[in-house]
Each structure stands twice: as C-alpha cells, then as structure tokens.
Amino acid sequence: MSTSLAVWTGALLTLAVLSFLYDDNPAWRITEHLYVGLAAGYGLGYTWQNYLRPVLLNQVGAPGGWIWIFPLVLGALLYTRYIRGWEWLARFPMGIWIGYGAGYILAYLPRVVVGQVTGSMVALNSLSNVALLVCLLGGFATFVFTLPDRPGLIRTAGRIGRYAILIALGVAFGGTVLYRFTLLYGQVHFLVHDWLGLGH
Amino acid sequence: MTALRRLDRRWLYLGVLLITVAAAVWPLRIAPRPTRETRTAFDLAQALQPGAGVFVYVEYGLGSREEMDPMLAAVLGHLADRGAHIVIAARSPEASQVAETVMGGVAARDPAYAKGYGQTWVNLGYRPAPDVALRAATSGIAAAYNEVDYAGRPLAGMPILQALRALNRTYFALAYAFDSGDGFAPMIYYVGTPTGLPVIIGAISMEVPLLQPYLAAGQLAAVIAGARGAAEYEALAGQPRRADVLVGASAMAAIYVLAVMLLGNLVARRP
Amino acid sequence: MGFDGPGYGARLLLPGYLGSALLAALLLALMLICLFRARHGLRMPHLRRLPGIRVLEEMVGRATEMGRPVHMTPGTDDPRNPQVLASFPILRQLALAAARYDTPLLHTSADQIVYALSDATIQQTYIEAGRASLYDPEHVRYLSDNPFAYAAAVMGMFRRERPAANVMFGNFGAEALLLIEAGADAGSLQLAATSNIFQLPFFVAGCDYTLIGEEMYVAAASVSGDPMLRSTVIAQDWMRLVVALLVLAGAIVHTLAGPSDPLRRWLQR
Amino acid sequence: MRKELPIWLGTMAGAFVVATRWFTLVNATGVDRMADRLIVASYAAAAAVGFIGLTRVHLRAIDARRPLWGYSIVLLVAMYGYAGLLFFLPASAPLPSWIFLNVMGPVFSTMYGLIAFFITSAAYRAFRVRNLESGILLAAAAIALLGNSAVGGRIWHGWDGLVAWIMAVPVTGGFRAIQVGAALGALGTAVRVLLGLERSHMGSPQG
C-alpha cells in the first residue's frame, strides 16, 4: 500500500466518485461539489493569470493601448444581467458575439462543404465508389423536408441512406465503448497498482 | 429469466468493475498490426527535415489522459527524434497543463529539448475564444497569443518564433490536433482548409468514425485512432510501449459488452 | 506586416474561396426568395411533419393522464451554440401545451444565460396563453455549470419527481447517457434532438424519438408555424438538391475526364 | 432600441467577418487580425459570469438553509480557494499544480470513466433487435467493437479489411450526409441570425 499523500488523495476521491454507482451518498456529494467548485475556480484563475493579467500589464498601458478598453468594457457588460433594471445592457455583448460567431460560420464553413462536395466526386469505376455515392445521396434523401409524401425514388434512396447512417452510428458506438473503458481502466489501474501495490 | 428481466443495473456495474480490475492485475498486452492510416501519419513525420516547424494543438483535458497521453508522448518523442521544432498550443486551461506535463517528460529524454525551450519548442498555452485565437495564429502566432507563452514569459526573445512566425505552409510542415472531440473541426475549418497545411488528428477512439468523411476528402492528411493507433505508432516509431496494455484492456471490455448485449437480447426474446 | 501566401493582387476574392462564395451567395439568394414569397403570401411547398415534433403534444397529454410532470433540457452549452438557440421555439411549444393541459413543466439548464432566457420564455408563453397563474419559478432550475454535476442533479430530480416525458433538445456531451438512463429509470417517454454526433448512437438506441442533425434546426424553424422562419428551411432543401446534383455531375465528369477534372478544380479556385 | 440595436450590431459584426475573410482588398488591411484579438479580450472580460452565478445560487442556498446547503459551502470554499490561489500564483507553481494533478485529475478522470458503467447498462437495455434498423445498429456496433479492439483480427484474418471497408464506404457516406446537412442547418441558422429573424437569444422567441 502506498504511503504517498498524493496517491491517497487521488484514491479516496476516485472511490468517492465510484460510490455514486451504488447510490447517492455524502462522499459522492462532497466530491461532486468539490469538482464543480474547483473547475469554476480554475477556469477563472487561469484566465486571469494567462490572459487578463498580461493584457492589462503589457497591452493596455502601451501606446495605442486605449483600444483594448472597448472590448474589455463590452465583455464586462455581460455582468449587468445581475443588476436589476440594467439587464438589457447584457444584450450588447451577446448580440455582437452571436453575430461574430454567425459570421465565422458563414465565412469558413462553406469552404469545408465545398471540400466535402469535391471529395465526393469519385470516379464511378469500382463497386466501393458507386456504393459510397449511393450511401451519400441516400443520406441526403433522408433529410428532404419539403415533400410531405416523398416520391418512390427519394423514399427508396432515403431508406438506403438511413441504413448507412445507422451503420455509421453503430460503429461510433463501438468506438465510444472502447474509449470509456480505456479511461476507466486508467483509474482502476491507479487504484490497484499505485495505491494497493498489486499487479504490474 | 424473470429475475434477469428485472435485473438491477448494479450487477452489470459490478461486472464492469471486475473486468477492469482483472485487466489491471493481470495486464494483457496486444500489439496490433499497423493500419494504413497510422503508417501514413508515421511516414509524414518520418519525412521531416531537422528544424522543420510542427504545430501541435492539444484539446483533450484531464478526463481523457488515459487514452491520449501515450499517443501524444509517442508522437512528440518521434518528432523530437526527427529534430522538428515544436510549437504547442491548447484549447483549454486544462489541456495546456496536460501538454506541458507530457512534453516535459519527452523533453527530459533529449538534451536538445531539455535545454531548448524557446529554441526547439515552446508552449503557448490557452487563450479565451480558442477558435478565434487559432484562426488569428494563421496570420501571426505571437500577436494571436498576446506575445506571451503559457507561463507568461515574453515570446519576443524566443528564436523559434522568429523562424516560425505564422501558422501556415510558409513556416510549418505539419499541424497536429490531439483531440477528444472538440478540436478537430476548428483545426479543419480555420487552419487546414484555409492554409492548406497538412493536418493530422490524434483522436480518441470515439471520434474516429466521425473523421472518415474529412479523411476521404483529403481535408485531413492522417488520423491516429485511439489507444490502438497509439500502440501502432509506438511500434513504428520505436517509442516506449505504453499503449499495448490499453489495447489488451479494451479487448476484454469489448468481449464483456458484447456478452451483455447478447444477454439483453436473449432476455427480451423469451416469452 | 508581411502577407504570406500567393494570390494577393487584382482578384476580388481570396484564392480558394470562389466555390464557397458561390455556395453562400446561392443559399442567401434562395433564402431571400423564399422569404419574399412568404411575406407576400405566395404558395409554398409543405414541410414534412417530423415525427419527433408531432409527439410533443402527445407527451404532454400522457403526462397529464398520469398526473406527472414533463421535463425539458436544452443541453449543457451556452446560447452561442446554434443548437441551444434551436431549443427555444421547442420550449415555447411545450410550454403552450403544458399551459393548456395544466401540467407542470420542469426545465433544467447548465448555463446561467440559457436559464435566464428559458425562464423568460416560459413566463412569457404562460402569460400569452392566459395562464399566468400556472407559472412557477421553482420549476425552472439552473443546476450547475458543469455537465457532470448537472447530470447528477437531474438524476436525483428524476428519481424524486418521475417525469412522464423527457424532452432533450440541444447540445449534449458525455452526460447525455446519464440523462437517458435517468429517464429510462423513471419510465419517461423520451424525445431527443442533437447535432452532436457522438451522442446520437445513444439517443437513437435509447430514446423513443430522435431528431438527427439538421432535423433539429428544421423542427425549431417550423414548429411555431411562422411562415417566415419556415420559408428559410425550404431554401435549405433547395440547397441540398444543388449539392446532390453537383456531386453527381462531378462524379460523372471525373469518370469521363479522368484526374484532370475541370469541375472540381473550378470549384476550388 | 434596447432590442433592435444589439441585433443590428450583431449583423454588422457578422458582415464584417465575412467581408474581411473573403475579399482581397479588405483582407489586405489586416483589420481582421486586430478584430480577432479584440473579440478574444471581450470574451475574457466576461470570464467571471459563471463564477458569479454559482456564488449567487449557493449563497442563496446557504442563506435559506435549503436541503443539502452544507455542500454549497464545500463548493464555495473550493471555488474561491482555487481562484484565489491562482490570482497570486501561476498555474505551474507547486501548490496549484499539486491540486491540479492530485485532486482535479483523479476526480475528472473517474467522472469520465463512470460513463463506462452507464454504457454497459445502455447496451443491455437499448441494443435489442426489434426490427431491421435496430439489427443493423447492433451488427455495426459489434463489428466495430471487435475490430477496433484488435480481437476481430485474431478471430478471422479478413476482419480488419471488413472494418476498413465499412469505414470507407457506409460510414463515410452516412456521416458525410449528416455533416453536410448539419452544415446547411448551421449556415441557415447563421443567415437567420444575421437577418434578425432568429432572436431568441434576446429574451423572447417571437421578437
């Protein structure tokens, strides 16, 4: 058994989280609240250390640094949602962020779609390529919304597309299972090996 | 059968625990045959000239370390063997500390990297609105990261960023994203597609199917797939073998989950 | 400041953006045409009713019969995510039904701003439905910023209040599985909609109704019956037809012309 | 003005982004780079909003002596303690990084690992063959499970080839259809936002 404080801390916290599988209990609740608190504290503290502090020290004071005042004030307007009567001011950063984000989508996403389109222009000289095209066009057909009773061709294509989508989702499930078990294995290995001193 | 139909899910949980404990006490090592995708990733790194610029974007945080750390360590180790100059950035505060830990371990093995911070490698850390920061780096890294590295040290004096000024094909040979789900899309949208820089994704096994359309369209140069891809890469690059036990553990898990699915179907079949 | 990469010069667009600009311009034009037609009451094709949306009313009805509440969650992201934005029209529709049937609507969220917006939406809807007295602020809950802590809190809540129906509409991460299991444990009828592909296998396998990817945006745009919003969905369908034809034409050109492939190269200019 | 002006500013911001990214003349001014840096700063300035929100919720819980209010104290102490520590010390200093590696690390990893348990009970309950569709889902999952864990290749030599074909054809086709569809949906939403049709983020869905 380990004598290290770090290992004991980690082991007890791991057991506290696992205890939730049996039922809700105080050890789990303490860990859960610890988790939320640490995550929030870390996020803010890190942003301060790595971004806000350097910007305030190096950029705002530098020549021409006054321009930084605008975004900092804009972002800070979000806090007005906690001040009664001033909540509407928070709409300004929100509106600009959502507009800026929509601009990003509009500016960059079409080129990725074009890449997907040109990438699908395969030579129809092998069974796999034909099958790929059928799966893709069939998949498109499942997402047709404007025809209430879809005509026969689109319906058949849509069915094939739906099967392709189900295969894709099944394969994704398989990958997810392995990923989750790998993570759990790591934590259990820590308990068994580092804490209890068993195994290799 | 009626008892099975009303099975308390905690019995299934107990099975999960027993399987993982067994895998930890009696580790099963499986060395998988390298797939074409992993070999492509290896070949791209193998072809690097000494001093070539490589961008490594780390997205995964504390929760995904078990699957991703071996892969990141294997690739960074290989890049160090090739003498590449490595610029690391992160998508979250957590990821930046994870990257620092893993790169620290790799650098310790190689004198050119152990003493070469700022010269052979740099860790830029994380900035809020990471997509915007990543996009901004394609036209100027130092400005996008506010002239400081992950520990707040000024970038101005670092030779590596004199040579590798912007994240594009003029300065870099390869870009990597080590990803647990949120980093691949920004890497394709804002870096790979606009600049034409070859992008390699080191992915958790969960997201590998999702990357297939991009891989097939040439929007990704290669994908290293989860613990299995890590094990293959370690073998190809002659790096320390840490992922084989993960592949062994996931083999045991796969068989257990298949058995559970089968049981579920048998229980449902019986009248 | 130097500019890297070739192509600056007499061009209007940066190199490589011709295809994207055409695509975006075409989508915008189609949307504007459809909007114009909607504004002037011109004839428009009907939208297929998505199975998931048809059941919203049924879910509330079921809850009313059983005397148990309905639960809705917009997932665990903030409103900058379009999937979260798409949840509000659905919430509104659900609140209308809940007000009509006098059935409690529980709403939980994992983001402060989403919480504030949802609370306002529900209150507003109840007032418009003439049932302002049914609005109960205790039913709209902000549980935690953290997805796992949020899901754990929802699990506890499901165990105590056993909602008859569970609507999950928005962006979900790994915590989705905890929510599905909680709903199954409580015997809820479950509807799920997300564009997060990682969670779709679980939603498809574990929920009664699922909306995949684009279906959720269409549901959001069409559920209110607002012809303006609905018309933009029709433009998306036209765009899909354009993309499909382009793929087909490109494949044929590629097969005939070989690797020189003029169409592909033109699109990538 | 309180509702319309933010929407108009958003539309202008979006149009600005598109103009600076696509058009040679505007892009050449480099104004997009400065705008990106400034928008990052505005996000950072709002970084405390979740922090303040949690403080309010849990202070209220303690004040009203709600059930389980004691745990709120744990949360606030952890949050203020860690944030306070990082206010004075960089994250790489010994004490913050000890907490990061030995307290946050195990809790986060185990939380993620918990899903392995829930996946198993979901597999037991949900992956039942009721019709052709659920059969396809189950078969694909089983093939991928055995293939990705390197078990399949030991059972039958052609397994890895089968998985590679499935990845290259139905998975690529199916996911590409979903992704192109989702991209059209996202582009449509972006246009609706920029035209001011979609304004639920302003507080009331119908304008």
Side-chain angles (χ1 to χ4, degrees):
Chain A
M1 217 165 216
S2 169
T3 50
S4 140
L5 176 65
V7 171
W8 271 90
T9 313
L12 293 179
L13 289 169
T14 303
L15 290 175
V17 175
L18 289 178
S19 73
F20 176 61
L21 292 165
Y22 184 75
D23 210 347
D24 202 355
N25 66 75
W28 152 261
R29 278 190 224 127
I30 290 177
T31 321
E32 178 211 320
H33 284 80
L34 200 64
Y35 170 64
V36 178
L38 286 177
Y42 180 72
L44 183 63
Y46 190 99
T47 307
W48 164 255
Q49 274 291 341
N50 268 45
Y51 186 84
L52 283 170
R53 209 173 70 115
V55 163
L56 290 175
L57 286 179
N58 307 334
Q59 250 111 22
V60 177
W66 53 269
I67 195 163
W68 289 88
I69 302 293
F70 290 104
L72 292 174
V73 169
L74 176 73
L77 282 181
L78 198 66
Y79 302 122
T80 57
R81 68 166 37 267
Y82 296 121
I83 307 169
R84 194 164 298 227
W86 293 86
E87 297 95 338
W88 60 276
L89 274 172
R91 287 182 191 147
F92 284 83
M94 217 57 212
I96 288 177
W97 287 335
I98 286 179
Y100 207 85
Y104 251 69
I105 290 174
L106 217 52
Y108 291 101
L109 203 54
R111 209 169 155 191
V112 179
V113 176
V114 169
Q116 291 286 309
V117 169
T118 53
S120 310
M121 295 174 173
V122 288
L124 300 171
N125 54 10
S126 73
L127 198 62
S128 291
N129 281 355
V130 174
L132 172 64
L133 213 61
V134 169
C135 289
L136 175 64
L137 295 177
F140 283 160
T142 60
F143 288 110
V144 170
F145 299 104
T146 41
L147 302 165
D149 288 306
R150 289 178 281 177
L153 177 67
I154 293 189
R155 197 179 305 149
T156 314
R159 187 162 305 145
I160 295 173
R162 182 150 178 90
Y163 294 154
I165 287 172
L166 285 169
I167 291 176
L169 293 179
V171 169
F173 172 81
T176 310
V177 167
L178 297 184
Y179 167 62
R180 295 300 172 190
F181 268 86
T182 312
L183 302 186
L184 180 66
Y185 169 79
Q187 243 6 68
V188 170
H189 182 266
F190 164 76
L191 281 184
V192 168
H193 184 259
D194 298 9
W195 184 49
L196 295 176
L198 299 172
H200 304 281
Chain B
M1 270 301 156
T2 36
L4 271 179
R5 202 164 297 165
R6 273 186 277 123
L7 182 72
D8 189 329
R9 63 191 62 189
R10 283 178 287 204
W11 289 109
L12 297 172
Y13 297 164
L14 186 65
V16 174
L17 202 60
L18 290 178
I19 286 284
T20 32
V21 168
V25 178
W26 302 285
L28 174 68
R29 289 181 178 275
I30 297 183
R33 275 191 302 273
T35 56
R36 210 180 52 195
E37 280 73 32
T38 313
R39 196 172 282 282
T40 310
F42 169 78
D43 288 344
L44 282 167
Q46 188 69 14
L48 291 173
Q49 302 295 320
V54 173
F55 183 74
V56 176
Y57 191 54
V58 179
E59 185 272 345
Y60 73 91
L62 285 170
S64 304
R65 290 192 69 179
E66 301 301 341
E67 182 160 86
M68 294 300 291
D69 272 9
M71 186 195 296
L72 180 58
V75 173
L76 287 174
H78 185 213
L79 292 173
D81 288 349
R82 302 303 306 159
H85 285 180
I86 305 170
V87 175
I88 299 172
R91 197 175 164 76
S92 66
E94 267 175 79
S96 96
Q97 257 181 294
V98 168
E100 183 68 17
T101 312
V102 175
M103 186 61 205
V106 170
R109 297 203 307 263
D110 190 325
Y113 293 83
K115 293 201 155 65
Y117 187 82
Q119 204 145 23
T120 50
W121 69 284
V122 65
N123 182 1
L124 299 167
Y126 151 86
R127 294 294 175 273
D131 290 357
V132 181
L134 191 63
R135 214 294 311 183
T138 60
S139 45
I141 293 174
Y145 282 81
N146 285 75
E147 319 285 348
V148 289
D149 77 348
Y150 119 101
R153 289 172 291 231
L155 296 175
M158 297 189 185
I160 184 167
L161 284 176
Q162 304 304 312
L164 305 171
R165 267 184 284 155
L167 179 54
N168 58 39
R169 271 168 94 176
T170 316
Y171 299 108
F172 283 82
L174 285 177
Y176 289 85
F178 289 86
D179 188 37
S180 63
D182 285 337
F184 77 89
M187 201 64 178
I188 295 172
Y189 294 5
Y190 310 127
V191 178
T193 306
T195 68
L197 193 62
V199 172
I200 299 172
I201 306 278
I204 55 171
S205 44
M206 182 166 113
E207 65 170 323
V208 174
L210 219 73
L211 299 172
Q212 295 304 314
Y214 301 107
L215 193 61
Q219 288 169 321
L220 291 177
V223 169
I224 309 172
R228 182 185 164 141
E232 293 166 12
Y233 201 97
E234 286 170 353
L236 286 170
Q239 294 292 317
R241 304 292 283 269
R242 301 200 334 211
D244 290 354
V245 289
L246 294 179
V247 179
S250 63
M252 290 162 85
I255 291 169
Y256 175 65
V257 171
L258 276 176
V260 166
M261 281 168 149
L262 192 68
L263 183 69
N265 274 289
L266 286 178
V267 171
R269 286 279 128 190
R270 283 291 173 85
Chain C
M1 207 180 277
F3 299 113
D4 306 310
Y8 284 88
R11 301 181 56 128
L12 175 66
L13 289 173
L14 289 176
Y17 281 94
L18 180 65
S20 357
L22 286 178
L23 193 83
L26 189 60
L27 180 66
L28 188 63
L30 286 170
M31 283 180 108
L32 290 175
I33 291 172
C34 290
L35 279 171
F36 178 83
R37 291 184 67 91
R39 175 158 295 168
H40 292 83
L42 297 171
R43 207 171 62 82
M44 277 196 298
H46 285 287
L47 280 184
R48 174 160 59 96
R49 290 270 279 167
L50 294 159
I53 291 315
R54 232 172 8 224
V55 300
L56 278 180
E57 183 107 8
E58 179 196 323
M59 291 175 101
V60 178
R62 180 177 190 259
T64 313
E65 274 170 29
M66 297 171 80
R68 278 157 47 179
V70 177
H71 172 253
M72 164 147 184
T73 165
T76 45
D77 210 346
D78 65 52
R80 283 182 299 239
N81 187 321
Q83 299 181 62
V84 179
L85 287 183
S87 79
F88 291 107
I90 302 294
L91 172 61
R92 197 180 142 76
Q93 214 59 26
L94 207 57
L96 274 177
R100 204 175 314 127
Y101 286 99
D102 191 2
T103 289
L105 171 63
L106 304 174
H107 185 280
T108 61
S109 46
D111 182 272
Q112 283 280 314
I113 297 169
V114 173
Y115 159 75
L117 295 175
S118 306
D119 191 37
T121 303
I122 293 173
Q123 194 174 7
Q124 180 79 17
T125 311
Y126 276 41
I127 291 170
E128 283 170 28
R131 294 289 186 91
S133 59
L134 291 181
Y135 165 75
D136 182 351
E138 287 292 308
H139 285 164
V140 191
R141 299 170 198 172
Y142 162 74
L143 296 176
S144 166
D145 248 12
N146 188 287
F148 270 86
Y150 166 74
V154 172
M155 286 183 102
M157 193 188 99
F158 269 48
R159 237 171 251 172
R160 289 187 301 272
E161 308 186 28
R162 307 194 79 76
N166 180 24
V167 179
M168 295 173 271
F169 200 106
N171 183 55
F172 297 87
E175 72 284 354
L177 204 55
L178 277 73
L179 301 177
I180 299 171
E181 289 294 298
D185 200 31
S188 319
L189 195 64
Q190 305 204 72
L191 164 75
T194 189
S195 290
N196 188 323
I197 300 178
F198 297 126
Q199 308 311 329
L200 275 176
F202 305 110
F203 281 150
V204 169
C207 295
D208 304 282
Y209 306 97
T210 320
L211 296 175
I212 298 174
E214 194 184 1
E215 289 176 349
M216 75 183 293
Y217 297 113
V218 173
S222 61
V223 70
S224 68
D226 177 4
M228 299 292 280
L229 278 176
R230 222 176 43 192
S231 68
T232 56
V233 174
I234 295 161
Q236 272 165 238
D237 247 11
W238 280 106
M239 206 58 216
R240 187 187 339 275
L241 183 67
V242 170
V243 168
L245 289 178
L246 210 54
V247 167
L248 204 59
I252 292 169
V253 170
H254 186 88
T255 314
L256 297 177
S260 69
D261 209 347
L263 184 59
R264 184 200 297 234
R265 274 202 316 213
W266 185 76
L267 277 172
Q268 287 170 341
R269 261 167 64 92
Chain D
M1 177 280 219
R2 291 181 176 187
K3 209 168 254 182
E4 293 301 319
L5 191 58
I7 290 177
W8 272 105
L9 287 173
T11 305
M12 277 157 58
F16 169 83
V17 173
V18 176
T20 54
R21 312 303 146 123
W22 284 5
F23 297 105
T24 321
L25 278 175
V26 196
N27 186 275
T29 61
V31 67
D32 60 323
R33 284 158 240 190
M34 196 61 203
D36 275 353
R37 294 179 68 191
L38 295 179
I39 213 88
V40 171
S42 73
Y43 271 82
V49 79
F51 195 90
I52 297 175
L54 282 173
T55 306
R56 281 162 52 102
V57 167
H58 289 278
L59 276 184
R60 227 178 281 152
I62 294 169
D63 190 43
R65 293 285 188 275
R66 295 236 179 91
L68 310 179
W69 61 273
Y71 298 104
S72 295
I73 299 178
V74 175
L75 188 149
L76 289 177
V77 168
M79 187 166 81
Y80 276 87
Y82 207 14
L85 205 57
L86 286 173
F87 191 83
F88 299 106
L89 294 171
S92 51
L95 183 57
S97 67
W98 192 91
I99 296 176
F100 181 80
L101 289 173
N102 298 307
V103 181
M104 276 172 78
V107 177
F108 280 43
S109 300
T110 318
M111 288 271 183
Y112 272 62
L114 272 187
I115 301 288
F117 295 92
F118 296 109
I119 263 187
T120 310
S121 70
Y124 178 76
R125 194 175 47 74
F127 279 81
R128 289 184 181 166
V129 183
R130 291 174 299 251
N131 49 33
L132 181 61
E133 296 204 344
S134 49
I136 291 175
L137 196 65
L138 176 70
I143 292 172
L145 266 178
L146 290 176
N148 295 338
S149 60
V151 177
R154 315 245 147 171
I155 300 173
W156 172 48
H157 201 71
W159 202 286
D160 290 345
L162 175 69
V163 173
W165 187 85
I166 290 178
M167 286 291 204
V169 178
V171 171
T172 301
F175 272 149
R176 186 173 280 167
I178 296 183
Q179 278 162 1
V180 169
L184 290 178
L187 285 170
T189 307
V191 172
R192 283 191 284 273
V193 165
L194 295 183
L195 293 179
L197 292 171
E198 172 64 72
R199 45 178 64 187
S200 29
H201 54 283
M202 290 296 142
S204 78
Q206 297 301 300

